[in-house]
Amino acid sequence: RYHEDYIERDQFWQIYDQGATGAIVGERYQLDNVRRQESEAFSLWIKDEIKTGKLTVTPGVRFEFIDYFQRDYAEDRTIVGDRASLAALRAAATSTTSATDLQEVIPGISFNYELSENQVIFGGIHKGLSVPGPRSAIAGTDIEERIGYELGTRYRCGELQTELVGFFTDFQNILNTNAGTGVGDSAVN
């Protein structure tokens, strides 16, 4: 699988001038936070299914290759009176580039064992990850890693089907601690 993504931030401040009566009498502009970030990712995975009697084992491994690129523009903080002058500042801005890459191996294995015609047990251990965006990766933020464990059983009798599963996930280096319930550091190392 090949994937590429980019973001171009061409932000500016729009400053409104207000007269004594409260009316807007003019506006000015200032560059802010101008940059381009890119990621190119290639993933390859291999999986096999091994059956022996009532046991099926499925090992697999995924390989991730990600190239990050960033261009930051030196912003002229001059306040200008129109958008054409703002565009001229942007066009004249010098830039610096930086890049890094990431390679990861992500293994996993699962099993399924038929206890009877109606019941199976299953489980697995799988590595997972979340990668930082280009700006964070180039700044040295590590990936978020986790190991997921699961064990369960399924029972089927006619129209009745039940499933009971237990799972545990062990996280390392959580990238985002804010789950919408408060404040958090979005780049925890």
Side-chain angles (χ1 to χ4, degrees), residues 118-143:
N118 296 330
Q119 187 174 13
V120 299
I121 61 170
F122 61 91
I125 302 173
H126 295 87
K127 180 179 177 181
L129 61 88
S130 291
V131 297
R135 189 174 190 88
S136 296
I138 290 168
T141 300
D142 291 331
I143 63 171

Side-chain angles (χ1 to χ4, degrees), residues 30-140:
Q30 183 182 36
L31 286 176
D32 180 54
N33 204 9
V34 179
R35 67 179 183 261
R36 179 180 173 93
Q37 300 171 356
E38 299 175 30
S39 298
E40 291 182 357
F42 177 70
S43 297
L44 172 69
W45 64 93
I46 301 167
K47 179 174 101 169
D48 194 13
E49 190 172 277
I50 304 163
K51 291 186 177 190
T52 176
K54 296 182 177 190
L55 176 66
T56 303
V57 177
T58 308
V61 64
R62 188 173 92 214
F63 303 94
E64 287 281 344
F65 306 93
I66 304 172
D67 289 324
Y68 293 109
F69 172 81
Q70 176 175 287
R71 172 170 281 144
D72 275 318
Y73 292 90
E75 296 158 9
D76 184 339
R77 298 289 184 168
T78 303
I79 296 175
V80 296
D82 57 46
R83 287 186 187 232
S85 298
L86 184 71
L89 284 178
R90 167 68 164 80
T94 59
S95 65
T96 58
T97 60
S98 49
T100 192
D101 60 15
L102 170 88
Q103 296 91 36
E104 277 296 315
V105 177
I106 308 153
I109 189 166
S110 61
F111 77 92
N112 191 57
Y113 185 78
E114 296 177 26
L115 294 172
S116 69
E117 187 176 297
N118 296 330
Q119 187 174 13
V120 299
I121 61 170
F122 61 91
I125 302 173
H126 295 87
K127 180 179 177 181
L129 61 88
S130 291
V131 297
R135 189 174 190 88
S136 296
I138 290 168

Side-chain angles (χ1 to χ4, degrees), residues 152-164:
T153 184
R154 289 185 188 100
Y155 178 77
R156 180 181 54 223
C157 183
E159 294 296 314
L160 174 67
Q161 295 184 39
T162 62
E163 186 172 300
L164 178 65

